[in-house]
Amino acid sequence: MSLVTKLNNEMKQAMKNKDKDTLSVIRMVKASLQNESIKLGKSDLSEDEELTVLSRELKQRKDSLQEFKSAGRDDLVDKLETEINVLQEYMPKQLSDDELEAIVQETIQETGASSKSDMGKVMGAIMPKVKGKADGGKVNQFVLKHLN
């Protein structure tokens, strides 16, 4: 089932349940997907492109969450946490630390990296493999750990 179809079904269910929070997040995701398809000049996005949009939306909310927490805006923190939880339902299963570490080690061997100066080469090779399945900051930490 495509993401748009799933979103449409979930939107209908949220309307029936009068779940305004979920409904607003689903509408926002659908709008973002529509904007991306217009930007790319396509009628349908690939699964990878849909994942990119979802990841971008999730990252924006996580960044905002940190800002609101540091500013003491608990009202907005609660709202964003709800949005993040809804968005994460549509994301692929996240990799465990062990799985991520194995991918990092494998990629370092594939690229022949040996020092921090090879960081860009390793990150460029890893990110397509873990797209949507791991946070970029976490990947960065594992790569730094193994390039020392």
Side-chain angles (χ1 to χ4, degrees):
M1 177 187 320
S2 76
L3 179 61
V4 174
T5 306
K6 185 175 181 182
L7 286 170
N8 285 332
N9 293 338
E10 299 274 335
M11 188 167 80
K12 290 174 192 171
Q13 193 60 45
M15 285 179 187
K16 287 178 186 174
N17 296 341
K18 298 185 182 350
D19 184 352
K20 292 180 182 178
D21 293 333
T22 302
L23 184 59
S24 78
V25 173
I26 290 172
R27 284 181 171 154
M28 174 273 311
V29 170
K30 284 186 64 173
S32 295
L33 290 168
Q34 183 69 32
N35 289 339
E36 187 73 10
S37 69
I38 290 169
K39 186 175 115 183
L40 297 174
K42 296 179 173 182
S43 60
D44 292 326
L45 296 176
S46 70
E47 210 172 294
D48 196 41
E49 291 163 337
E50 290 173 344
L51 187 58
T52 300
V53 172
L54 278 176
S55 297
R56 184 181 328 130
E57 293 294 330
L58 193 58
K59 184 177 183 333
Q60 286 174 351
R61 273 151 190 76
K62 285 182 177 179
D63 292 346
S64 297
L65 185 66
Q66 294 306 317
E67 294 294 321
F68 291 148
K69 279 183 179 178
S70 64
R73 295 292 310 267
D74 294 333
D75 55 327
L76 296 174
V77 167
D78 293 340
K79 182 178 185 284
L80 275 178
E81 285 175 341
T82 303
E83 289 181 9
I84 289 170
N85 289 337
V86 172
L87 279 172
Q88 285 179 328
E89 290 178 26
Y90 301 103
M91 295 296 288
K93 182 182 171 290
Q94 297 294 297
L95 294 171
S96 70
D97 286 352
D98 293 338
E99 293 170 323
L100 185 57
E101 193 154 5
I103 292 172
V104 167
Q105 289 173 337
E106 176 186 315
T107 307
I108 287 173
Q109 289 174 351
E110 287 173 4
T111 59
S114 58
S115 67
K116 285 186 182 180
S117 62
D118 298 323
M119 181 82 174
K121 181 169 54 171
V122 175
M123 289 297 291
I126 286 180
M127 290 313 288
K129 293 179 183 179
V130 299
K131 186 173 190 169
K133 297 177 189 170
D135 178 55
K138 199 174 197 180
V139 174
N140 193 320
Q141 288 175 346
F142 278 109
V143 171
L144 276 174
K145 177 180 154 188
H146 289 286
L147 285 181
N148 282 335

